[in-house]
Amino acid sequence: MSKIAVGLDSGCAFNKTAFLNEEQQWVESSTPSLVRSGRANITLSGSQGYSYTCEGEQWTADENAVDAEDTRFDSFSYSTLNTVLTHHTLNKLVAENSLNNEVSISTGLPLNHYFTEQGINKSAIQRKQAALLKPVQGSGVNLVCQQVCPEGLAGWVDARIDRLGHEKASQSHAVAVADIGGRTTDICVVLPDYSLITEYTSTLNIGCLDIAAEANRLISQRYGVGTINMLAMYQVLASGKIDLGRGKVQEVTEETQQATQTIAGRITREIERRTGKVPHLEGFCYLGGGAEQLKQFITGHSIFIPERPRFANARGFLKIMQYLS
């Protein structure tokens, strides 16, 4: 088997991957960004979670972890925690798809890390590449970081170029692109040649993890359940129900919908405010995991949300590496 090329979008909530199989069809997967410091717990059936060691520190990647590390910090993209999550995600990908363990990735950085007022932030790119070079014991993947791309812009590349590198959508004027992630929302205004209008590039400190926080607040306020851990909140948002204990399960769809609508409104209003003076704006593109979660509340004229928007960056990273680098 030959080395596999993978687009990897490393997020605070989920790690998303995309690659093309032998039939040139997309294979996409998502892994929760749940990892904690320390060894894996031992259960009657064996170890719970996957253990890794990086820079002398032990980590456990466990999708059932109730005590997972908070990934919402500015240097997450360069952290040991991120490196371990990347290896864990790729280990799962290789095992589940019977792939070669020689993996070449194209990944990304948030727009406010990738660019400065002077242009491309080469030191940030080098820092990201160096972080991914750290050896991870317990990983069976040999990883090469082939390319680091700007998040958000990569998602728009995915919207315009098909999997074979051919243009599938034309663009005549500027388009506002919003990449709604777990912790933040990147905003950029892209011209037809993929260049950015710098003055309209910004990052909002709000993302889809705020939906969980807002839903937690509403549910706690109504039912007095206290703070709910992130894993439990993922389950609550997915099911619309919460276990109050003693066999009582409460329907909380009203609260989760209200929280989603509140966060969607905050994000869309701020995006429209920040891009309101762009001349000849052709439309708005919303992508990222947040776009998928919020899409029923994202309304207005000239709105475009790609298919499976949570994987748009991952697909775009791969396309940039293959066709635009």
Side-chain angles (χ1 to χ4, degrees), residues 183-213:
R183 185 175 73 96
T184 60
T185 295
D186 276 342
I187 306 168
C188 60
V189 174
V190 189
L191 295 173
D193 63 355
Y194 297 112
S195 62
L196 303 182
I197 303 180
T198 308
E199 63 188 286
Y200 296 109
T201 300
S202 59
T203 297
L204 307 179
N205 288 317
I206 185 170
C208 58
L209 288 176
D210 290 277
I211 300 170

Side-chain angles (χ1 to χ4, degrees), residues 171-185:
Q171 178 184 351
S172 301
H173 301 288
V175 170
V177 178
D179 177 15
I180 307 174
R183 185 175 73 96
T184 60
T185 295

Side-chain angles (χ1 to χ4, degrees), residues 111-157:
L111 286 174
N112 64 337
H113 288 228
Y114 193 91
F115 294 106
T116 68
E117 291 182 359
Q118 289 72 42
I120 294 174
N121 189 345
K122 293 181 180 179
S123 63
I125 293 171
Q126 291 167 355
R127 186 181 175 194
K128 176 66 175 178
Q129 291 171 325
L132 292 174
L133 284 174
K134 296 175 184 176
V136 177
Q137 297 173 17
S139 173
V141 169
N142 294 322
L143 167 63
V144 174
C145 180
Q146 197 74 31
Q147 181 113 25
V148 178
C149 312
E151 296 171 2
L153 179 57
W156 184 240
V157 169

